[in-house]
Amino acid sequence: AAARMWVKDGADPHGFVLYDDMGDQQRPLISPRQFDEFYAPVFGRLIEVAHELGCEFHLHSCGKIDPLIPALIDWGLDALELDSPHMIGFEDLKPFRGKIMLWGCINIQSTYVNGTPDECEQEVLAMIKNMGTQDGGYGAYIYPQPWHINAPKQNIRAFNRGLKKYGDYAKNADIWGR
């Protein structure tokens, strides 16, 4: 109702984002069966209304939530935002490439705060190769409050360098073997 009213009152949003951390370091906080039972009526409806309004619906979630991602895809979620993609793991994210847009930051629990600038730059390449496809599908963003996590300035700059170096897929076709 709030989204519909906002648009009715003149707003022209491109999309909506919901923040709901649904996992811990090892697993989802709820089983996939319970997730489908309890969340489908809510998330499914929110996504449906966003799409009816011509908007995208994105979800932020930290945690090892890969067992829940198939349901999110089935419900029509447009994108999943991850601050710590290492919690899921690149190998466990690969099956979802091309099925849902994955976006996020260099892993804020490790690389961004404790890595070297070179490791930060290389993680950009790893995220593109493991969370995207040769046609796109990975979106990067700079963590909005780097001072909250004590991200060193040189790592923030390295993230930007990595995006400039690897972010243009057409200029980096060799990373896809073409």
Side-chain angles (χ1 to χ4, degrees), residues 29-51:
L29 299 175
I30 187 170
S31 75
R33 183 187 57 74
Q34 290 175 315
F35 182 67
D36 194 51
E37 180 181 347
F38 292 105
Y39 279 74
V42 178
F43 278 23
R45 185 70 181 130
L46 291 171
I47 294 166
E48 180 182 315
V49 168
H51 290 168

Side-chain angles (χ1 to χ4, degrees), residues 147-168:
W147 57 91
H148 287 179
I149 58 173
N150 294 317
K153 286 182 180 165
Q154 64 266 26
N155 287 0
I156 297 167
R157 287 191 291 272
F159 189 5
N160 283 307
R161 273 194 314 277
L163 291 172
K164 287 178 184 164
K165 187 174 183 179
Y166 303 115
D168 185 336

Side-chain angles (χ1 to χ4, degrees), residues 6-176:
W6 194 42
V7 170
K8 182 181 174 199
D9 287 342
D12 187 22
H14 294 279
F16 300 93
V17 62
L18 178 67
Y19 292 83
D20 192 358
D21 292 344
M22 297 183 294
D24 64 19
Q25 301 287 331
Q26 286 87 33
R27 68 192 62 79
L29 299 175
I30 187 170
S31 75
R33 183 187 57 74
Q34 290 175 315
F35 182 67
D36 194 51
E37 180 181 347
F38 292 105
Y39 279 74
V42 178
F43 278 23
R45 185 70 181 130
L46 291 171
I47 294 166
E48 180 182 315
V49 168
H51 290 168
E52 286 173 9
L53 296 171
C55 298
E56 291 189 358
F57 197 90
H58 295 211
L59 173 69
H60 158 88
S61 183
C62 286
K64 177 97 169 102
I65 63 160
D66 49 300
L68 307 179
I69 296 174
L72 294 167
I73 292 170
D74 287 347
W75 301 339
L77 185 71
D78 296 293
L80 181 61
E81 184 266 313
L82 308 164
D83 289 340
S84 297
H86 290 194
M87 277 195 234
I88 294 175
F90 290 144
E91 286 302 313
D92 291 332
L93 283 168
K94 275 185 177 181
F96 307 113
R97 294 181 313 162
K99 296 179 182 171
I100 188 169
M101 192 260 207
L102 299 166
W103 60 288
C105 185
I106 291 175
N107 200 77
I108 66 167
Q109 291 187 327
S110 58
T111 314
Y112 208 27
V113 294
N114 297 318
T116 66
D118 185 56
E119 289 169 332
C120 290
E121 194 173 310
Q122 289 303 306
E123 185 151 319
V124 172
L125 178 59
M127 289 189 298
I128 289 169
K129 288 176 76 171
N130 290 288
M131 296 168 67
T133 70
Q134 60 190 11
D135 298 316
Y138 167 70
Y141 84 103
I142 304 297
Y143 193 77
Q145 302 93 7
W147 57 91
H148 287 179
I149 58 173
N150 294 317
K153 286 182 180 165
Q154 64 266 26
N155 287 0
I156 297 167
R157 287 191 291 272
F159 189 5
N160 283 307
R161 273 194 314 277
L163 291 172
K164 287 178 184 164
K165 187 174 183 179
Y166 303 115
D168 185 336
Y169 288 24
K171 291 181 183 174
N172 290 292
D174 57 314
I175 67 173
W176 305 104

